[in-house]
């Protein structure tokens, strides 16, 4: 059988099939862990958190905790049979429970286990903790001033002669940009429920993007082997990177309690504790030195990327690496040197968040583009175009990978035309001249995002497909569903491969018991990896069924055709269910494990060279805003997006990802502000003080289109491209449009250099600076 047989006429691939859980989400019948029926005798755990940013623990008096109503017992480091550690970087720097010291405000000290969640939660506050305070620093500049201790080795990328490039450039600019962090604000917070089994066994239901890592962590704290731990996850109510590693702690605590008391145990923190005790997007301060010429062409870039890593390594190494991998965005630098600084701070350990450092790297790139444009008195779009990677030349990245699939020129040209950018910009320039209070801005920004985990071994996936005697299908794979539509896409792949309806394919919850050693569902790679693994499983079964049908109907294998609903064996049509039944009777195996590993990629971190990305995803957006120069308030009036997903597996899902990614990015860059006080306590830990976008913040004009002509140059599943993270960075055009509106106050002669999030306060301060400069 041909591995790449002709597409089936009624294929569900590349169609706008609705999310498999859509109706259940709307009806409230989609089951999350907190909805599950609890086993009889389920206990409830709650964490007690430190109230110092950096201190020695002198003593803890648990008497009142233990005496509180309903309390079954407490869990401390001493109750851990294995290692007191849940560090995903395996640097053993992230204790489940603090022992002698606390390193941030909100660090878990111990857990209370009680009959009800409310009892556990109340008792957790009753311990008397005596601290001896130590010096603390909570942000990038303070950490740098204190000597710049790093949580993990920095990365350096270098290409070309940076000193000569800077020295010879006709213009030179130095600056910094502070880029804020972001809380994930998943609708469903962290949660885990553990059910003890026989012997060492434990089953854990965890809201995690990374079941295999939760399995490892639970095994590590319990000092048991991986085969004794089963981790299940049907769906998450959002993950956004926050559940790549941050669920480890909760799963470990639930499992410890389950085994200690031989009762099921559930743990779910309140929203404010979730926000205090779990990591967020890294905020960065990027210091740059850029050389350029009169045409706005960049000659050299030298930059340092300081990031607030928090108290432990977590994923700060790979996150700051990805920031450097996106220091170029879509631009070619003739000479470049970029260096990461994942700084130790006395704050919660920052982690993965949609884009994984890439957005911060790209925001800095857009900042020096803007600086150059205002320095030269030109439209920033002109500077962007002048620096785009070339198609055949000027196409080597700072990490020495050649960009071979560059479509940014076509994306930007098409969007510039369809959004009527030039005419609208001209109209805005004249509007601003006649409008003393309200000012408008417009900006077009590009996105180029590298697809693949930079941890090369993560780029593998498995699937397990069973066909039952009645022709119905079970589909399992290693990917997790967090709302992004991975499950439906992989089901489409399988239905398409077998030529059956989607109703024939049952989507199974993800479990370590079916597919082992899985990667996190992250780096936007879910459908690329698991789609291919499922396809591989289908291919194996189809080969067996083709041979079986040929034998049964006495035709050559070449005369067996897979058609919608079954196979055509010579003149005979055999419906899929009949085929399955006859295969069973003839002892043909109807189950297969599929596997996929991404080809071509390699990466050597020590030398900063390689081919870390299989391909790139592209996109561009135009945003128009209006600011009030008296208050700093603003509105985002219109957004146009053209985004590249290759040949879409499911346009409806993909457009949803683009819309959601943009709005989430807009929240990050405009209203979501994290504030720690001078004691190191996070003060923005609830929706009252931390403002995520509302449905009403969606721009009144929001034109989102997929680049329908795009086909992945690499043979990915259905020639599609990853979509999960790249659209978040489309929101940079909002920042750039706000910048233009602010710059208008001083006739566009001064770069406003707004830090992000560009809150109304920052807009107002920017306007004041412009007024001051104008005199
Ligand atoms: N979309 C929804 N609705 N919920 C999420 O949690 N996470 C994002 C993105 N889109 C997320 C989402 C992140 S951070 C990633 S890496 C990808 O989805 C992961 O899924 P994928 O690889 O299947 O695209
Ligand atoms: N992206 C997302 N998650 C990851 C990565 C990455 O590149 N590497 C390790 N975890
Ligand atoms: Mo996404 S930040 O790679 O989970």
């Amino acid at each position: 059988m041909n591995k790449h047989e002709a597409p089936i006429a009624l294929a569900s691939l590349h169609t706008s099939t609705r999310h498999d859980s859509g109706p259940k989400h709307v009806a409230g019948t989609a089951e999350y862990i907190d909805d599950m029926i609890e086993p009889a005798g389920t206990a409830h755990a709650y964490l007690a958190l430190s109230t110092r940013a950096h201190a020695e623990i002198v003593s803890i008096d648990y008497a009142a905790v233990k005496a509180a109503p309903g309390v079954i017992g407490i869990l401390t480091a001493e109750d851990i049979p294995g290692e007191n550690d849940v560090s995903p970087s395996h640097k053993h720097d992230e204790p489940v429970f603090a022992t002698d010291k606390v390193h941030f405000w909100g660090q878990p000290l111990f857990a209370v286990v009680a009959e009800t969640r409310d009892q556990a939660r109340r008792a957790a506050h009753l311990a008397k903790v005596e601290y001896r305070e130590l010096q603390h620093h909570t942000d990038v500049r303070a950490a740098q001033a204190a000597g710049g201790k790093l949580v993990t080795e920095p990365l350096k990328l270098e290409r070309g002669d940076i000193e000569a490039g800077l020295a010879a450039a006709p213009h030179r600019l130095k600056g910094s940009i502070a880029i804020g962090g972001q809380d994930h604000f998943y609708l469903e917070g962290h949660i885990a429920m553990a059910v003890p089994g026989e012997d060492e066994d434990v089953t854990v239901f965890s809201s995690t993007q990374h079941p295999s890592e939760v399995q490892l962590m639970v095994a590590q704290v319990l000092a048991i082997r991986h085969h004794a731990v089963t981790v299940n996850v049907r769906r998450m109510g959002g993950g956004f990177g926050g559940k790549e590693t941050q669920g480890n702690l909760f799963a470990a605590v639930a499992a410890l309690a389950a085994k200690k008391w031989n009762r099921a145990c559930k743990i779910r923190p309140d929203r404010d504790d979730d926000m205090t005790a779990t990591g967020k997007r890294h905020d960065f301060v990027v210091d740059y030195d850029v050389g350029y010429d009169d045409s706005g062409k960049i000659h050299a870039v030298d930059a340092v990327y300081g990031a607030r890593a928090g108290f432990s390594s977590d994923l700060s190494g790979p996150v700051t690496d990805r920031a450097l991998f996106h220091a170029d965005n879509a631009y070619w630098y003739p000479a470049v040197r970029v260096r990461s600084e994942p700084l130790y701070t006395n704050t919660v350990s920052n982690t993965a968040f949609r884009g994984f450092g890439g957005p911060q790297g790209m925001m800095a790139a857009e900042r020096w583009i803007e600086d150059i444009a205002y320095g030269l008195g030109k439209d920033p779009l002109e500077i962007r175009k002048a620096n785009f990677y070339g198609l055949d030349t000027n196409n080597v990245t700072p990490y020495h990978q050649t960009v071979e699939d560059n479509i940014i020129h076509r994306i930007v040209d098409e969007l510039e035309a369809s959004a009527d950018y030039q005419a609208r910009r001209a109209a805005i320039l004249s509007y601003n001249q006649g409008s003393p209070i309200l000012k408008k801005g417009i900006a077009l920004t590009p996105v180029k995002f590298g697809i693949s985990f930079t941890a090369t071994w993560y780029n593998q996936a498995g699937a397990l497909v069973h066909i039952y005697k009645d022709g119905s299908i079970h589909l399992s794979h290693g990917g997790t569903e967090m709302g992004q539509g991975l499950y439906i896409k992989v089901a489409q792949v399988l239905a398409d491969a077998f030529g059956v309806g989607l109703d024939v394919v049952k989507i199974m919850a993800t479990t370590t018991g079916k597919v082992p050693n899985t990667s996190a569902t992250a780096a936007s790679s879910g459908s690329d990896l698991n789609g291919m693994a499922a396809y591989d499983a289908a291919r194996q079964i189809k080969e067996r069924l083709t041979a079986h049908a040929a034998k049964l109907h006495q035709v050559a294998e070449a005369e067996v055709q897979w058609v919608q609903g079954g196979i055509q064996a010579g003149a005979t049509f055999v419906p899929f269910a009949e085929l399955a039944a006859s295969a069973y009777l003839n002892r043909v195996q109807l189950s297969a494990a599929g596997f996929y590993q991404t080809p071509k990629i390699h990466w050597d971190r020590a030398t900063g060279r390689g081919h870390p990305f299989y391909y790139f995803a592209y996109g561009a957006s135009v945003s128009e805003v209006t600011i009030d120069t008296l208050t700093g308030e603003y509105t985002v009036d219109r957004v146009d997006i053209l985004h590249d997903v290759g040949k879409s597996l499911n346009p409806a899902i993909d457009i949803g990802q683009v819309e959601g990614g943009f709005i989430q990015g807009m929240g990050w860059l405009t209203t979501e502000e994290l504030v720690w006080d001078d004691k190191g306590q996070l003060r923005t830990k609830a929706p009252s003080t931390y403002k995520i976008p509302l449905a009403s913040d969606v721009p009144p004009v929001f034109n989102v289109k997929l680049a329908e002509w795009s086909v992945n140059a690499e043979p990915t599943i259905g020639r599609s491209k990853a979509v999960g993270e790249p659209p978040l960075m489309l929101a940079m055009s909002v920042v750039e449009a706000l910048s233009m509106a602010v710059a208008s106050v001083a006739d566009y002669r001064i770069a406003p250099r707004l830090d992000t999030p560009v809150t109304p306060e920052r807009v107002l301060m920017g306007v004041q600076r412009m007024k001051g400069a104008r005199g």
Side-chain angles (χ1 to χ4, degrees), residues 98-447:
T99 47
D100 48 335
K101 270 188 190 176
V102 292
H103 296 273
F104 74 96
W105 187 299
Q107 186 170 353
L109 297 169
F110 64 93
V112 187
V113 177
E115 297 295 340
T116 70
R117 181 173 174 276
D118 187 54
Q119 288 169 336
R121 187 172 150 269
R122 287 173 192 280
H125 294 288
L126 300 178
K128 291 198 180 67
V129 188
E130 198 188 325
Y131 299 100
R132 186 175 302 120
E133 285 194 53
L134 301 167
Q135 280 233 315
H136 67 266
H137 46 265
T138 57
D139 64 19
V140 167
R141 287 299 190 217
Q144 286 170 332
K149 184 178 161 198
L150 305 181
V151 293
T152 190
E153 308 74 38
L155 174 67
K156 190 163 135 183
L157 300 179
E158 202 162 6
R159 212 199 66 252
D161 187 339
I162 181 77
E163 264 75 32
L166 284 173
H171 304 284
R172 186 89 174 255
L173 65 91
K174 288 187 190 201
S176 349
I177 175 171
I179 302 159
Q182 186 177 24
D183 188 85
H184 302 85
F185 226 103
Y186 20 59
L187 283 178
E188 178 208 37
H190 282 285
I191 183 163
M193 179 165 76
V195 184
E198 286 183 10
D199 305 322
E200 294 179 326
D201 294 358
V202 61
T203 300
V204 182
F205 298 87
S206 165
S207 186
T208 176
Q209 293 171 237
H210 200 346
S212 289
E213 177 122 300
V214 168
Q215 178 188 30
L216 182 159
M217 294 298 162
V218 167
Q220 181 169 289
V221 297
L222 288 173
I224 58 180
R225 285 187 285 180
H226 293 195
H227 66 200
V229 184
T230 303
V231 178
N232 300 326
V233 48
R234 171 58 186 85
R235 60 169 67 77
M236 284 160 272
F240 306 113
K243 292 173 180 169
E244 182 170 341
T245 64
Q246 302 296 293
N248 294 347
L249 170 73
F250 302 97
V253 170
L256 281 165
K259 288 314 271 186
K260 178 166 176 172
W261 285 285
N262 200 28
R263 295 169 67 164
C265 181
K266 187 155 99 177
I267 179 167
R268 173 173 67 79
D270 284 355
R271 178 67 63 172
D272 54 348
D273 289 332
D274 187 311
M275 290 183 77
T276 300
T278 69
K280 310 169 194 315
R281 184 189 292 287
H282 294 67
D283 51 314
F284 275 60
V285 178
V286 183
D287 294 310
Y288 55 87
D289 188 352
V290 175
Y292 64 100
D293 64 24
D294 287 330
S295 68
K297 274 207 162 91
I298 293 171
H299 287 209
V301 171
D302 188 10
V304 176
Y305 296 71
R308 172 164 17 203
F311 86 105
S312 73
S313 50
D314 185 74
L315 297 171
S316 294
V319 166
T320 48
D321 287 4
R322 193 172 270 272
L324 300 198
F325 286 121
H326 292 80
D328 55 348
N329 191 7
Y331 309 118
W332 180 65
Y333 303 146
V336 54
R337 177 172 61 204
V338 287
R339 195 156 45 79
S340 69
E341 265 187 4
L343 291 153
Y344 172 89
T345 51
N346 296 109
T347 47
V348 67
S349 197
N350 281 328
T351 195
F353 196 138
R354 207 170 192 171
F356 204 76
Q360 294 92 320
M362 287 158 65
M363 198 57 241
E366 294 307 327
R367 177 49 41 90
W368 47 77
I369 292 281
E370 179 190 292
D371 273 6
I372 294 169
Y374 289 104
L376 295 172
K378 295 186 190 233
D379 175 0
L381 180 57
E382 202 184 316
I383 309 302
R384 293 191 166 100
K385 289 180 176 176
N387 288 289
F388 280 157
Y389 278 110
L391 298 181
D392 304 309
T393 56
N394 302 346
N395 56 0
V396 181
T397 60
Y399 42 97
H400 300 261
Q401 174 169 347
T402 302
V403 181
E404 288 163 342
D405 59 4
N406 186 356
I407 54 169
I408 197 62
H409 304 86
R410 179 164 177 194
I411 293 266
V412 166
D413 289 350
E414 283 192 15
L415 182 67
E416 184 180 348
S418 69
D420 204 13
Y421 173 85
Q422 294 299 346
R424 284 166 63 205
R425 180 173 150 92
I428 285 171
L429 289 172
S430 87
Y431 170 92
N432 285 346
Q433 265 186 339
S435 174
I437 309 289
L438 298 183
K439 300 284 187 185
K440 287 180 185 286
I442 187 169
L444 188 160
T445 56
V447 166

Side-chain angles (χ1 to χ4, degrees), residues 712-729:
N712 199 332
E714 299 295 343
T716 51
I717 188 73
R719 297 272 174 178
S720 64
K721 288 190 181 184
V723 67
E725 295 165 287
L728 182 122
M729 289 145 269

